[in-house]
Amino acid sequence: MTPNQLTTSNQKLEKKYKKLVNIYDIIPSFWIDARSTSSIQPLARFVTNEIKHILDHLPKVLEVCLQMGKVIIQWNEEHTNKPMVSWETFEKLCAKNTNLKCFLGDQSNMKKHYQVVAQTLYEGGNVLYFENLEFMVMDANWFCHEILGSLLAFDESYCAALGLMC
Amino acid sequence: MGIEKQDMIIKGDIQISLWDLGGQDEFHSLHDLVIRNTNVQGIASSFFLLCKLTCNKKECKDQLDEYCTEIMNELDYWIKFIASNTRLSIEFTPHIIIIFTFCDKIYQDLK
């Protein structure tokens, strides 16, 4: 595939999915050497500016919810051996967050609001949360490795190795 | 190999959750679990599609056109997956950056 073919293919994809996704037409703006820090700077700047633009235009409720993302990171750093929390623990974490508290005020049905926060954190890639379960996965990387990894490895040799097979 | 997630904070206050979804077929059925966008306003996710342009197999070099078509079909799959797994908002459609890797190798091969 020549550089021209790459550009043409990219433009075709962009045209085909124009109404559904935003494909950046950056070729041939960034031809980079991924091994060189200075070479990736233009692309890094572009991505950072785009993220800033996205964040500046987020609806207010989302911005407040995403502030909880930093709380999650900090919590994970302090609790490396506790990848999951009960719903009660998550509620306590939310209640401690001043910004969230100010935004939500004192309302009767706080659980419903905290569920929205949890859902937003899930959609933002911070946690794994399912409404019908009374716990949350705080360390998604652990879940992907330990739980999903085990599921994928689940075949006859894996079972035999664990002594599960006669 | 697998689905990986890493958190980072850049410029002091921008928090990013970076997910490596693992492009292999066996992970496809699990992607719905980690990407779920039900927010009516849409979420501001950015997707990076990493596409390796080189292939060590001999048949790839012998059938370059078919290999190129295969790459484009893969991209087609992923864009459809992203479009169907993210709600469209007025402000944002899912953002996609396509990154072609090993360009230096393939252009050398083509010379």
Side-chain angles (χ1 to χ4, degrees), chain A residues 1-3 5-6 9-10 13 16-24 26-27 31 35 43 46-48 50-55 57-59 61-62 66 68-70 73 76 119-120 122-131 138 140-141 143-145 148 151-152, chain B residues 3-17 19 26-27 30 32-39 41-46 48 53 64-65 68-69 71-72 75-76 79-80 82-83 88 91-100 103-104 106-107 110:
Chain A
M1 216 185 261
T2 64
Q5 282 175 312
L6 278 181
S9 303
N10 195 48
L13 288 171
K16 187 175 175 184
Y17 295 104
K18 199 175 179 179
K19 289 182 180 172
L20 297 172
V21 295
N22 178 11
I23 301 174
Y24 292 109
I26 58 168
I27 292 174
W31 287 95
R35 297 159 297 185
L43 179 61
F46 173 82
V47 174
T48 308
E50 282 303 310
I51 291 169
K52 273 186 178 171
H53 175 78
I54 291 168
L55 291 175
H57 292 81
L58 283 178
V61 64
L62 199 60
L66 288 181
M68 278 298 290
K70 286 178 188 170
I73 292 177
N76 278 333
Q119 187 66 45
T120 308
Y122 179 25
E123 289 161 5
N126 299 92
V127 299
L128 294 175
Y129 164 70
F130 302 96
E131 209 174 310
M138 300 286 267
N141 201 43
F143 183 82
C144 291
H145 272 263
L148 299 185
L151 276 177
L152 287 171
Chain B
I3 300 176
E4 306 261 353
K5 184 219 171 199
Q6 197 176 348
D7 292 308
M8 57 177 80
I9 294 177
I10 57 168
K11 305 257 175 192
D13 61 346
I14 301 176
Q15 186 237 318
I16 298 175
S17 287
W19 285 77
E26 57 265 40
F27 294 107
L30 301 174
D32 283 335
L33 190 70
V34 291
I35 293 185
R36 199 177 66 159
N37 192 356
T38 53
N39 191 322
Q41 291 173 311
I43 193 87
S45 297
S46 287
F48 295 83
L53 287 175
L64 196 60
D65 284 344
C68 291
T69 308
I71 290 173
M72 296 320 290
L75 284 174
D76 216 48
I79 294 169
K80 279 178 186 166
I82 291 165
L88 296 179
E91 289 258 18
F92 301 107
T93 48
H95 296 66
I96 298 178
I97 291 179
I98 303 171
I99 300 173
F100 295 100
C103 292
D104 54 336
I106 197 157
Y107 298 137
L110 286 168

